[in-house]
Amino acid sequence: MIVGGRVELRELRSFVAVAEELHFGRAAARLGLVQPAVSQHLGRLERELGLRLLDRSPHRVALTPAGRRLLAEVRAALSGIDRIRDVAEAFGRGLGRTLRIGSTPGLERRLADGVTALRAIAPPSELVLVEGDARAHAAAVASGALDAALVRGAGPDGVVVGYDPISLVVPTAHPAARLDAIPPAALEGLRLRLPARRSDPVLHDAVLAHTAAAGVVPHRGRDVASVADAALEIGAGGTAWTAIHGTTWQATTCSVTLRPADPPLTVPVRLLLPAGGSCTDLLVEAFGGTG
């Protein structure tokens, strides 16, 4: 129970410093204060909270049970305040530094929309886009080489900022091409041509999970090197189908047709962010609104 007046930030920061150093002199040096000031801050905080937070003796400083319990809450409160200041400074001054974002082929529109929103909120001094795959981007974000990255697919890291549709490519002469959306059963009799899993695991796994959910086991053809090559082969032979990310594609042949899947087939798009990044909230705001 708080029995005194208001709690001040300097008192909370002094408490965290002493709790982590377990030494008033080292805590004072860390805070750039004199030791009596830190002692005054701790005494005032204990009076305001009505709790004894530290056991003091000439030879040691130790946290009381109340101090140990309160330490986690104070750290969380100070972290939240620091985030507020980061956001306020970014809004007031712009990001003021080079921002490095990892991009993924096929997500150019989402990336462009996010960058446009970011420039309106808090423009960086310079923007650098780095193309790569999800695995490389995740490592680069974790190491600090990238400030963020847009990648497809489910995973434990990052923030889901939208869902990317997957469309089906079928021979124009096949009956499935006349449907508004194609269920897996309508593709029986055609061979499925996909990129090798190592080159696009998200597309590969999503398509096979989609057909399995419908109880369909597709006849697999050989792996394709690219969608463009697959389309040429499908248009020429008419006995296969494939899938691509997105809903539009500049076809190289008029003998294939692009259709959505039935039920709709999508994969999540994640914004990968470093732990404790100073502009995390701004990036989520900018890219989270891109649909």
Side-chain angles (χ1 to χ4, degrees):
M1 177 177 66
I2 297 178
V3 296
R6 65 180 183 179
V7 173
E8 297 185 4
L9 286 178
R10 60 182 180 177
E11 297 167 1
L12 298 179
R13 295 191 190 281
S14 289
F15 168 59
V16 171
V18 175
E20 292 177 349
E21 299 291 344
L22 295 179
H23 190 280
F24 277 83
R26 290 195 296 269
R30 168 173 152 182
L31 295 169
L33 301 173
V34 295
Q35 184 170 330
V38 174
S39 298
Q40 290 172 5
H41 293 167
L42 265 295
R44 190 178 300 122
L45 180 62
E46 289 180 323
R47 289 193 299 274
E48 288 166 346
L49 297 179
L51 296 170
R52 188 164 57 89
L53 304 176
L54 297 166
D55 283 327
R56 306 166 178 83
S57 75
H59 304 293
R60 65 186 294 270
V61 176
L63 285 166
T64 65
R68 286 193 295 273
R69 175 65 182 86
L70 193 65
L71 180 59
E73 301 297 332
V74 173
R75 282 172 171 157
L78 291 176
S79 177
I81 291 168
D82 288 341
R83 284 197 299 272
I84 291 171
R85 285 178 171 166
D86 287 340
V87 172
E89 290 176 1
F91 272 107
R93 305 175 190 172
L95 291 175
R97 63 180 179 84
T98 298
L99 192 68
R100 294 174 173 81
I101 299 180
S103 64
T104 303
L107 293 180
E108 292 85 3
R109 175 61 184 274
R110 186 180 296 276
L111 180 64
D113 289 345
V115 169
T116 299
L118 183 62
R119 289 192 181 281
I121 297 170
S125 61
E126 182 182 4
L127 179 67
V128 177
L129 300 180
V130 180
E131 188 166 309
D133 59 27
R135 181 178 298 179
H137 283 339
V141 169
S143 70
L146 290 177
D147 297 290
L150 274 177
V151 300
R152 295 187 185 90
D157 302 320
V159 177
V160 175
V161 295
Y163 291 85
D164 193 33
I166 290 177
S167 298
L168 309 184
V169 180
V170 299
T172 299
H174 193 273
R178 296 192 287 273
L179 301 174
D180 292 332
I182 302 175
L187 298 168
E188 290 188 286
L190 296 178
R191 290 174 290 111
L192 172 59
R193 305 283 306 282
L194 285 176
R197 188 181 186 279
R198 64 180 177 275
S199 63
D200 195 339
V202 173
L203 179 70
H204 191 280
D205 293 350
V207 171
L208 294 184
H210 179 73
T211 57
V216 173
V217 179
H219 301 290
R220 295 291 304 277
R222 68 183 185 280
D223 293 341
V224 299
S226 70
V227 173
D229 289 348
L232 286 171
E233 294 181 16
I234 291 169
T239 61
W241 66 282
T242 190
I244 64 167
H245 292 289
T247 58
T248 59
W249 174 54
Q250 188 65 42
T252 55
T253 172
C254 60
S255 300
V256 297
T257 297
L258 192 71
R259 289 286 184 266
D262 180 20
L265 177 54
T266 63
V267 293
V269 177
R270 291 178 292 140
L271 181 66
L272 302 181
L273 298 162
S278 61
C279 56
T280 293
D281 292 337
L282 288 173
L283 289 166
V284 171
E285 180 178 352
F287 286 91
T290 60

